Amino acid sequence: MSTTAVDHAPDHSHDHEHDHPHGWRRWLYATNHKDIGTLYLCFALTMLMVGGVLAMGIRAELFQPGLQLMQPEFFNQLTTMHGLIMIFGAIMPAFVGFANWMIPLQIGAADMAFARMNNFSFWLMPPAALLLVTSFLVPGGASAAGWTMYAPLSTQMGPGMDMAIFAVHLMGASSIMGSINIITTVLNMRAPGMTLMKMPMFCWTWLITAYLLIAVMPVLAGAITMTLTDRHFGTSFFNAAGGGDPVMFQHIFWFFGHPEVYIMILPAFGIISHIIPAFARKPLFGYASMVYATAAIAILSFTVWAHHMFATGMPVTGQLFFMYATMLVAIPTAVKVFNWVATMWRGSMSFETPMLFAVGFIFVFTMGGFTGLILAVAPIDIQLQDTYYVVAHFHYVLVAGSLFAMFAGFYYWSPKWTGFMYNELRGKIHFWGSLILFNVTFFPMHFLGLAGMPRRYADYPAQFTDFNMVASIGGLGFGLMQVYFLLAIVIPTVRGGKKAADKPWDGAEGLEWTVPSPAPFHTFEVPPIVK
């Protein structure tokens, strides 16, 4: 009997290759959360560079008045594609990459819940990126309707607009699948003893972000699908001549678009909530209030969409509602900033690169928040709407907010990911160069906007020349700093270098990976399961 069992036992010796594919198969068929996280991060970094090149084009054209390098139509194509590529191609995929890498590690799960869907949601991104970038090559060029794709402009554009619509559809499908995966993983796969209120902050911010994504991505899909049928199938959703309403597009778009900006900042809050306690060497101040504030921001984000539309002829009652609702968002956001500062208060702080980026984040993000509060005031917004003041505001939030938090997260977690330490001096050069040049680029835009310079124009009157020159020089420098980041930090760190210690940051009392949980006693030390 026993011999037969041995004789008929399947031979697994040749299956090893199948279990762990090598070479390109490892990446194409990736189902491991770390590999997929790495794919997302590499994709996002590539798109960051592409979007950066487009931004350089914009700033080069604006270096002095008059048309230098391009026709206005091409200039507007650059602004459209820069926005779409940076939002859907760089920021969101990067945060999904962080989520894939860190969430299973932080909650003690073996992997993400749906490994193959995880693979599929990544592989929707490259074709979408290809559609976006190659739309420059079709007749009439890429869409020049702005990243918001407002009707009626977007219903008149050439085939580049269709490519943008399909690209956004693919990226939206990817986001929805990624979100389902994150929610399922966090709710069902936590280690024994890890209740929701003991979960690391990054997992919380992503759980809430994932719910936001599932709520708003179908809304965007609806808006661009209606645009598509207006373009090709004779409908009149946004065509006033056929009984439609172009302003309706704005309502539908911003009902997606405002929660979207919180989707791009909440994971950043999570990353910062890990780094500051680690380098202040004490637990996060006010863990529960951080969780509730994050949820409050997410809920309020659905009540403020029309603050993007004060200039559309809204009734005063509507303006007042959206003005006050927008100001309300400042409260939970201020709670978070207060908690970060309170965490640092009397901590034994050290300023390695992740901490520098985290402190830089708080400073510059808070400035972006204040300009947002100013823009929330309807009478002021009507003056500043569509000027460079708005451009300055959202770049302070998205570049110095989302992007700086990602840099902080990379420096903080890359020893964990690669097994190697980055070069600390180069990291500090990257931080100071980025912080200073970012402000040189975007701070003057506040003054340009207050003086009335409209955005999305390839030319401008001579009185705006000086600030534009400063901004263009700063922009070029900031772009070069990110090339430096890629060549001097990312590539050398990934290829090898000084081996990382077991606890690269030597967190106080062994708090390292669990720092954002309520207190030292609530780490992963759960009683052993009795067999």
Side-chain angles (χ1 to χ4, degrees):
M1 182 67 185
S2 57
T3 48
T4 351
V6 173
D7 291 344
H8 290 93
D11 174 21
H12 285 299
S13 57
H14 64 279
D15 285 357
H16 184 69
E17 185 68 26
H18 177 70
D19 290 345
H20 301 285
H22 297 294
W24 58 270
R25 283 188 179 80
R26 170 186 171 182
W27 301 104
L28 186 63
Y29 302 138
T31 48
N32 172 323
H33 72 99
K34 298 178 182 178
D35 283 350
I36 293 172
T38 304
L39 283 169
Y40 267 112
L41 290 166
C42 293
F43 173 82
L45 190 58
T46 309
M47 287 283 99
L48 182 75
M49 296 299 159
V50 174
V53 168
L54 303 185
M56 297 296 97
I58 294 167
R59 285 315 323 167
E61 176 55 59
L62 292 173
F63 183 71
Q64 54 186 26
L67 295 178
Q68 272 71 243
L69 308 169
M70 55 191 80
Q71 290 304 307
E73 179 79 3
F74 183 69
F75 179 86
N76 284 346
Q77 290 170 21
L78 287 186
T79 56
T80 300
M81 288 299 148
H82 167 69
L84 287 172
I85 286 168
M86 287 305 202
I87 290 169
F88 295 107
I91 294 179
M92 291 171 70
F95 280 138
V96 179
F98 277 98
N100 265 297
W101 251 105
M102 296 315 299
I103 288 176
L105 298 180
Q106 289 186 335
I107 63 173
D111 206 309
M112 298 294 280
F114 307 114
R116 294 188 177 200
M117 185 165 82
N118 209 5
N119 174 291
F120 185 45
S121 63
F122 171 75
W123 285 110
L124 284 176
M125 301 300 289
L130 213 61
L131 271 173
L132 265 184
V133 177
T134 51
S135 65
F136 278 109
L137 309 176
V138 298
S143 161
W147 82 271
T148 53
M149 301 178 278
Y150 274 5
L153 261 181
S154 54
T155 55
Q156 322 283 314
M157 298 277 163
M161 187 69 211
D162 298 313
M163 293 172 81
I165 287 173
F166 288 129
V168 172
H169 265 308
L170 287 174
M171 288 165 167
S174 167
S175 290
I176 289 172
M177 282 191 286
S179 301
I180 291 170
N181 216 340
I182 286 166
I183 291 171
T184 311
T185 306
V186 169
L187 294 186
N188 296 321
M189 297 174 70
R190 299 190 306 282
M194 179 175 279
T195 61
L196 281 175
M197 291 308 281
K198 289 179 184 174
M199 193 165 69
M201 257 332 283
F202 181 66
C203 302
W204 258 118
T205 54
W206 245 117
L207 178 66
I208 291 166
T209 303
Y211 275 114
L212 274 181
L213 273 165
I214 288 177
V216 302
M217 273 302 172
V219 179
L220 174 67
I224 57 181
T225 305
M226 286 188 269
T227 307
L228 199 67
T229 59
D230 272 12
R231 289 169 60 80
H232 299 294
F233 301 109
T235 56
S236 292
F237 291 109
F238 310 128
N239 176 8
D245 181 5
V247 176
M248 181 173 77
F249 178 90
Q250 296 189 31
H251 278 290
I252 301 169
F253 179 87
W254 286 116
F255 190 80
F256 145 82
H258 202 81
E260 166 67 18
V261 300
Y262 295 103
I263 287 163
M264 290 189 282
I265 202 68
L266 289 181
F269 290 165
I271 293 171
I272 299 301
S273 302
H274 281 249
I275 292 170
I276 283 179
F279 291 93
R281 288 164 180 78
K282 50 193 281 242
L284 182 67
F285 180 90
Y287 171 86
S289 64
M290 281 299 232
V291 173
Y292 297 136
T294 310
I297 290 171
I299 292 160
L300 287 173
S301 74
F302 285 102
T303 67
V304 299
W305 78 90
H307 68 207
H308 298 264
M309 302 169 55
F310 283 145
T312 55
M314 197 189 304
V316 174
T317 322
Q319 293 186 21
L320 282 173
F321 171 80
F322 286 107
M323 178 167 102
Y324 290 130
T326 306
M327 290 175 173
L328 209 57
V329 182
I331 297 169
T333 313
V335 167
K336 297 179 97 55
V337 174
F338 172 83
N339 284 1
W340 289 324
V341 174
T343 305
M344 293 189 279
W345 180 252
R346 298 185 66 184
S348 45
M349 287 196 287
S350 61
F351 291 95
E352 287 86 354
T353 312
M355 184 62 161
L356 285 176
F357 267 108
V359 175
F361 166 92
I362 294 177
F363 167 62
V364 204
F365 173 78
T366 304
M367 279 183 57
F370 277 128
T371 53
L373 204 53
I374 290 165
L375 288 168
V377 183
I380 299 179
D381 183 78
I382 288 166
Q383 296 301 309
L384 296 179
Q385 203 257 338
D386 262 337
T387 67
Y388 267 79
Y389 193 88
V390 180
V391 178
H393 155 68
F394 69 73
H395 281 87
Y396 265 81
V397 176
L398 286 180
V399 181
S402 305
L403 192 65
F404 276 22
M406 281 185 238
F407 288 149
F410 170 82
Y411 287 112
Y412 183 52
W413 282 321
S414 63
K416 177 89 178 155
W417 298 343
T418 62
F420 300 110
M421 284 305 286
Y422 62 91
N423 180 309
E424 187 63 53
L425 174 68
R426 291 177 188 175
K428 286 191 163 67
I429 292 171
H430 177 225
F431 168 73
W432 288 110
S434 293
L435 183 74
I436 293 164
L437 289 163
F438 168 80
N439 281 290
V440 169
T441 308
F442 291 103
F443 199 75
M445 293 187 190
H446 293 101
F447 304 128
L448 286 170
L450 288 166
M453 179 173 164
R455 63 197 262 212
R456 294 183 184 161
Y457 275 61
D459 191 8
Y460 54 84
Q463 74 250 34
F464 300 132
T465 308
D466 293 350
F467 280 140
N468 268 303
M469 277 189 168
V470 172
S472 288
I473 294 165
L476 182 67
F478 183 77
L480 290 174
M481 281 316 302
Q482 308 331 311
V483 177
Y484 174 79
F485 170 67
L486 175 65
L487 299 179
I489 295 154
V490 177
I491 294 172
T493 308
V494 172
R495 289 180 60 178
K498 195 173 127 241
K499 241 178 117 30
D502 286 346
K503 291 190 168 182
W505 306 119
D506 197 25
E509 303 156 48
L511 281 180
E512 181 82 37
W513 295 105
T514 51
V515 133
S517 299
F521 345 101
H522 301 312
T523 53
F524 291 138
E525 288 146 27
V526 293
I529 298 165
V530 182
K531 285 279 192 294

